[in-house]
Amino acid sequence: MKSVLNVLEQLIAFKSITPTGKDAIDFVADYLQKLGFECLIKTFGPNGQEVTNLYATLGHEAPNICFAGHIDIVPPGDEKLWQSDPFQMQVKDDLVFGRGTVDMKGAIACCLVAVSEFLKENKNHNGTISFLLTTDEEGDGTHGLKEMLEYIKDIEPKIDFCILGEPTTEHEVGDTIKIGRRGSINFDLTITGKQGHVAYPEKAINPMPIVISALKGLIETEFDSGSEFFQKSNLEITSIEGQNPVRNVIPFSVSAKFNIRFIDKHTPSDLAAKVAHVISQYSDDYELKYSCTSLPFVQEYSKEIERFADIVYDTCGIRPKIKTNGGTSDARFIHKYTQVVEFGLNCDLAHKIDEHTKICDLQTLYNVYYSSLVKLL
Ligand SMILES: [Zn+2]
């Protein structure tokens, strides 16, 4: 565990706020080169906002087992609210604090050290070990693994199985593996009324109660009841704006924003039509725009995924649940090229002030990554 904490401390010290982190990628590449890896570093994106990506390989034969992830982090927020410097790893009892401990520098430290230790005992292992890392996952992801996967797609041996160390744990490390994700669609709704004086409401049409009723109608709409691997689609309102600086005017229009996390029973256009149908029951003077940022996907529960679930069970002593909940991740790109399982630390603590993980969780994660190398190669 000392080696994992040592690598993690160095990773946390890089202020790799998305989409930056070239120095952290260079550090990982240097670590892997010393182990004999060939490292391909590639940047994409406009000048001054380049995103750095790394594909490192050791070996020339199948199967190619790949550890994937992102080295970028979300900003720490108000650093004064942290009990310690977010970029200086702090160990208190059995907890490790620092931005990125959970999402996901902790997982990267675990797989780097797992590979290093594995190679000490298994110099002549079968197959290929690879790493695929980016600095653009927490942002919009345009120039990260999406472009890197396309760039490396013809390099042999192609990736056969990918382990993505995103935080997936709900209570205990080992309880959850993710093999898909719900889709995400953002809506902008504007309902127009008739502006007027609040003292003469009969001479105006107030769009505010109309928006409130329409949104209530949307919240109460059951879009589906879920499916085998998906929890049901869910709508969350994120903003209601009357843009009204005074108190005596009924506004001309009101805008609202909401997001739907949706399952593979819908297409974005079907969903938008359902949303429009609900709104039309409350208003006939509205504008609805939408943009889908990711489509839902779920992979077949293959032999390989089952094998990984068995490794988790053997190592952690709990049978992992196979899930697709949570936000989006780079698995949305990776699954188009190869099988991918997501398996990492506790998702409750990601992106929070005082982000931290238990040392014993790092140990368990390290054990799973190490066993994966032993059993999959
Ligand atoms: Zn993450």
Side-chain angles (χ1 to χ4, degrees):
M1 230 349 71
K2 230 174 123 192
S3 313
V4 171
L5 292 177
N6 179 25
V7 172
L8 181 55
E9 182 169 27
Q10 297 185 71
L11 289 175
I12 286 173
F14 294 108
K15 294 188 177 179
S16 52
I17 293 168
T18 190
T20 69
K22 183 184 180 307
D23 44 2
I25 290 275
D26 287 342
F27 167 82
V28 172
D30 186 51
Y31 185 98
L32 291 171
Q33 256 156 8
K34 285 178 184 146
L35 298 175
F37 278 76
E38 286 173 46
C39 295
L40 169 66
I41 292 178
K42 187 79 193 150
T43 56
F44 300 108
N47 275 350
Q49 294 165 47
E50 291 92 348
V51 167
T52 312
N53 300 280
L54 167 71
Y55 182 54
T57 51
L58 179 68
H60 297 99
E61 280 155 32
N64 179 349
I65 306 299
C66 180
F67 290 101
H70 63 87
I71 206 100
D72 57 325
I73 47 167
V74 293
D78 185 351
E79 293 187 29
K80 286 192 233 68
L81 297 176
W82 284 67
Q83 49 173 281
S84 57
D85 182 343
F87 298 107
Q88 234 179 349
M89 192 181 84
Q90 288 285 329
V91 178
K92 281 185 193 154
D93 304 320
D94 63 336
L95 301 177
V96 187
F97 290 80
R99 174 55 90 222
T101 44
V102 170
D103 191 7
M104 56 166 280
K105 291 177 173 177
I108 293 173
C110 285
C111 52
L112 287 172
V113 178
V115 167
S116 165
E117 291 300 311
F118 172 78
L119 292 174
K120 283 181 191 164
E121 305 288 319
N122 302 276
K123 274 228 151 16
N124 300 315
H125 62 87
N126 296 323
T128 299
I129 306 170
S130 59
F131 279 81
L132 179 60
L133 297 178
T134 185
T135 62
D136 186 21
E137 195 275 342
E138 297 289 9
D140 55 18
T142 320
H143 304 297
L145 294 194
K146 185 181 177 191
E147 290 197 21
M148 192 62 175
L149 282 154
E150 193 53 30
Y151 186 79
I152 63 166
K153 73 175 194 292
D154 295 324
I155 297 178
E156 295 288 348
K158 289 181 184 142
I159 300 169
D160 293 288
F161 191 76
C162 193
I163 301 168
L164 177 61
E166 286 288 356
T168 50
T169 296
E170 296 188 345
H171 304 288
E172 248 181 288
V173 178
D175 62 11
T176 309
I177 293 173
K178 289 186 184 171
I179 62 163
R181 293 284 179 143
R182 289 182 299 176
S184 177
I185 181 167
N186 292 315
F187 288 90
D188 287 287
L189 167 68
T190 301
I191 290 186
T192 302
K194 190 173 162 199
Q195 193 173 344
H197 196 299
V198 291
Y200 304 102
E202 65 282 1
K203 294 182 179 166
I205 299 170
N206 191 346
M208 193 60 87
I210 303 174
V211 164
I212 292 169
S213 301
L215 291 175
K216 188 165 178 288
L218 285 169
I219 292 172
E220 288 168 356
T221 301
E222 280 262 305
F223 292 98
D224 51 69
S225 51
S227 60
E228 187 185 358
F229 290 119
F230 283 112
Q231 61 183 156
K232 62 186 181 184
S233 299
N234 180 60
L235 180 147
E236 286 299 319
I237 299 160
T238 53
S239 167
I240 303 174
E241 285 162 29
Q243 274 153 6
N244 191 359
V246 292
R247 292 158 196 261
N248 58 356
V249 173
I250 288 171
F252 172 71
S253 66
V254 176
S255 301
K257 296 184 199 302
F258 49 93
N259 172 276
I260 301 180
R261 292 297 155 113
F262 66 104
I263 73 172
D264 58 351
K265 285 184 180 167
H266 312 279
T267 65
S269 58
D270 289 350
L271 209 50
K274 279 185 189 134
V275 166
H277 175 71
V278 173
I279 296 165
S280 67
Q281 293 166 35
Y282 300 89
S283 167
D284 50 19
D285 194 357
Y286 70 88
E287 189 186 35
L288 183 70
K289 291 183 188 159
Y290 70 93
S291 70
C292 177
T293 52
S294 60
L295 290 168
F297 75 91
V298 64
Q299 300 165 96
E300 182 201 336
Y301 188 67
S302 64
K303 272 200 323 282
E304 291 78 12
I305 294 176
E306 191 177 359
R307 211 162 147 211
F308 182 78
D310 287 342
I311 293 169
V312 171
Y313 176 63
D314 291 344
T315 314
C316 308
I318 27 176
R319 178 61 61 190
K321 289 204 172 76
I322 309 299
K323 291 195 171 184
T324 57
N325 61 332
T328 58
S329 77
D330 278 341
R332 70 191 144 137
F333 306 127
I334 300 171
H335 84 96
K336 294 177 182 166
Y337 298 86
T338 185
Q339 297 189 78
V340 53
V341 289
E342 295 182 65
F343 185 77
L345 296 163
N346 195 312
C347 49
D348 275 0
L349 298 163
H351 297 197
K352 289 192 176 157
I353 285 173
D354 290 333
E355 180 175 347
H356 63 275
T357 183
K358 291 182 191 158
I359 292 177
C360 61
D361 284 358
L362 286 170
Q363 178 71 60
T364 309
L365 189 62
Y366 167 88
N367 293 345
V368 170
Y369 291 162
Y370 187 90
S371 301
S372 304
L373 290 163
V374 173
K375 295 196 176 156
L376 299 177
L377 289 177

